Every structure is written in structure tokens, then in C-alpha cells.
Amino acid sequence: MAMSWWPLIKVLPIKTNLKFVAFAKYAAVLSAVLVIASLVGVFKPGLNLGIDFRGGAVMELSKPSGQTLELDKVREAVDGLGLGDVQVQGIDNDASAIVKFQVPDDEPQAQVVQRVQSAVTAAVGEVEYSGVSVVGSKVSGELFTSGLLALGAAVALMFAYIWFRFEPQFGLGAVAGLLHDVILVFGLIVLMRLEFSLNMVAAILTVIGYSMNDTVVVFDRLRENLRKYKTMPLREVIDLTINEILTRTIITGFTAVMVLAALAYFGGPALFGFSIALMFGIVCGTYSSIYVGAPIILLWGVKRGGRDKEDAKPIKLGMASRP
């Protein structure tokens, strides 16, 4: 085996015989509860929109010669300007800090930034400013709309791809799994109060791609087994398929999670939310391939042997076709 050097390969069994379909009903209830809770959370309390979608400015500041910044004084100075929600986050052991604040629509952006810099300098002394970026409210609204359109387009294109490659019920199962994963990632963002920025949109798009890849692997093996075991009950074929690709799925997911965990730890505040959302999305993608996509196929039924077989008959809810 090409990767036999990895200890995890030796720990995982080569072949499993788990009854996944038997727990499909319980998984459906769990998924329904989590999806509903996530949807409610998106509207109340709502997403913690970042500067990209809310409008405002971000700047990085640091003391010369590596001196420590007094973050409390920085926060008080910016809060005193009445610029709405202000966030001050220390980095590099508080030697530097990232300051985020809103920019009023009726005041020039450059003037607001100058006011903030003057207030911070007066509070903590000489400070070096770098990486100042400003996003207007109009631009932020356009970015939010574009982000949502990008997510919708990604789901639609994935559905079209699966429909073209497999049967229609496979496409429905894949899209149901994608929506399930995306909604739960939104729920995690709300629960952990992660900042919803363009980085988070990129994370969700990546989750869609990973989830679809995992679903295609399951569906492709399922299609092969449906042609191979024409008289085996559908639920047994689904269990067999998932057991056959289980080790591969666990190794792939675990490897990605390890990389993202390192990125979350060493990447700093800018990449923490991105990494956490991706890790959770990978777990959801694996789960949805087994307990969202596959059960839909079981309920709908499939044709044995593919579309090109005139004598193929639909198989419903685990009932085998006549040989």
C-alpha cells in the first residue's frame, strides 16, 4: 500500500460491515433539528457581518521598537469617536493590533481615518500605521449580494453536474447534502460569532466543493455496485458501498482537518474563522454523503443496470428486483 507508512492506515480496519441505513431515521431527525436551528440563528441573532459586508475601515498599528500596545487605551480612544461597533484585536503578543471601525456615510472616509489615527496617537503615543483599507456601505452591500449569488450559483452548477452524470435522484440527493452542509456551516458561524467576511464566503465555497467531491465518490461506487449486485436489496447495496469507501473517506477528511487545525493555530485571527468553518464543513460533508444523499436515493429508488438497459426496473425502499 502506497501510504502504509502512515500509522492511521494500520489502525483503521481494511473492511467494515456497519449498518448505516439502520440509523438513517435518527440521523434525519438530528439533521432536521440542526438545519432549523441554523436557519433561525441566521435571522436572529443574525450573522456577525465583517467590514467587507457592513462597511467600515480596518487598520493595523504597532509601537516602534516592538513595544507593547495598551489595547484598552486604544479601544477607549476609538470608542470615544462615536463610530459604532469598534473592534481592537492584539497580535504578536500585543506588539501590534488590528482596529476595525465603521465609517459614517455623511463623512469623508479619509477624514474619519485621520481622526482615528489622531485619537490613538494621543492615547498611546507614537504609533506606526499600516495596511489601512476602507470599504463603503454601497460597496459592502454589493459584496454581500455577490457573495450570496456565488453560493447559489455553485449549488446550481453542482446539481446540474450530478444530474448529467448520474440519475436525477442522485442530483437531488447531492443538492440536499450541499444545502445541509452550507446551512450548518452558517449555523456554526452564528453560534461561535465568527466574523462573516469574504474569507468566510471562500470557506463555504470550498466546503461545497469538498462535499460534492465526497458525494461523487459515494455515488460512483454505488452506481457500480447497483450494476454488480442486481438482486441485492437497495439498502444492503448502500451499506456495502459506504463500508467500501469508509476508510478512504476517514483518511481524506482527517488529513484535511489536521492541516486546517495547524492553519487555525498558526494563521492568526485572520484565518481562524476560515479554518474552523472549513473543518466543520468537512465533517458535515462526510456525514451528509452518508445520511443525507444516500437515504434520498433509498426513498426514491433507482434503476438497476443503468438507463441503457431496457429490462431495468426501479427498486424502492430496499426491495430487490426480480432476476
Side-chain angles (χ1 to χ4, degrees):
M1 187 176 294
M3 297 180 61
S4 59
W5 53 269
W6 194 22
L8 184 59
I9 298 290
K10 300 178 181 179
V11 174
L12 294 174
I14 298 177
K15 184 177 180 180
T16 58
N17 190 29
L18 303 175
K19 303 298 182 182
F20 291 98
V21 175
F23 298 96
K25 294 181 180 179
Y26 306 104
V29 173
L30 175 63
S31 294
V33 171
L34 293 178
V35 165
I36 293 173
S38 298
L39 288 174
V40 171
V42 167
F43 294 98
K44 187 177 181 180
L47 296 170
N48 178 27
L49 297 178
I51 297 297
D52 295 328
F53 298 130
R54 186 175 51 193
V58 181
M59 67 171 60
E60 184 175 341
L61 51 91
S62 59
K63 295 283 287 184
S65 303
Q67 301 176 26
T68 302
L69 272 170
E70 298 178 273
L71 300 183
D72 291 338
K73 290 185 177 181
V74 173
R75 187 176 292 105
E76 290 176 2
V78 183
D79 277 337
L81 300 177
L83 299 177
D85 184 26
V86 175
Q87 300 177 26
V88 179
Q89 191 170 41
I91 55 178
D92 296 333
N93 295 323
D94 294 344
S96 303
I98 295 177
V99 181
K100 302 179 182 180
F101 53 90
Q102 293 178 271
V103 177
D105 295 333
D106 56 350
E107 191 172 352
Q109 298 173 350
Q111 182 177 337
V112 176
V113 172
Q114 184 61 44
R115 285 175 54 201
V116 172
Q117 292 178 346
S118 300
V120 172
T121 301
V124 298
E126 184 181 355
V127 176
E128 296 177 353
Y129 300 94
S130 62
V132 180
S133 60
V134 181
V135 179
S137 57
K138 181 178 179 180
V139 174
S140 64
E142 293 175 353
L143 288 175
F144 186 74
T145 302
S146 299
L148 294 181
L149 289 176
L151 295 177
V155 173
L157 290 173
M158 293 297 182
F159 174 69
Y161 168 73
I162 291 294
W163 192 312
F164 174 78
R165 181 170 177 177
F166 299 100
E167 301 283 346
Q169 60 268 41
F170 284 82
L172 178 60
V175 170
L178 286 180
L179 293 176
H180 171 274
D181 300 340
V182 170
I183 291 173
L184 291 192
V185 171
F186 272 104
L188 178 74
I189 294 172
V190 173
L191 180 64
M192 297 187 64
R193 302 306 297 164
L194 299 175
E195 184 179 272
F196 189 76
S197 61
L198 288 177
N199 282 347
M200 202 62 72
V201 173
I204 295 175
L205 289 173
T206 306
V207 168
I208 290 175
Y210 182 92
S211 177
M212 179 55 63
N213 175 73
D214 207 38
T215 301
V216 167
V217 171
V218 175
F219 285 180
D220 203 41
R221 181 62 64 88
L222 177 59
R223 183 173 58 178
E224 293 177 4
N225 286 336
L226 286 171
R227 293 172 177 172
K228 185 177 180 181
Y229 304 102
K230 296 182 180 181
T231 60
M232 181 183 292
L234 182 55
R235 62 178 62 247
E236 294 182 15
V237 177
I238 292 176
D239 279 337
L240 174 65
T241 299
I242 297 174
N243 280 288
E244 286 179 347
I245 54 91
L246 184 61
T247 299
R248 174 261 178 207
T249 301
I250 292 176
I251 292 174
T252 303
F254 186 74
T255 303
V257 167
M258 286 195 303
V259 174
L260 291 169
L263 186 63
Y265 184 78
F266 296 106
L271 295 177
F272 179 78
F274 174 86
S275 305
I276 294 298
L278 264 182
M279 283 192 287
F280 183 72
I282 287 174
V283 175
C284 289
T286 302
Y287 167 86
S288 66
S289 298
I290 298 173
Y291 282 119
V292 178
I296 288 179
I297 297 174
L298 180 65
L299 291 173
W300 190 329
V302 294
K303 293 181 179 180
R304 296 296 176 104
R307 297 178 180 176
D308 56 342
K309 297 298 183 74
E310 295 181 357
D311 59 345
K313 296 182 179 180
I315 303 301
K316 300 281 188 176
L317 294 175
M319 296 178 64
S321 61
R322 296 181 180 178

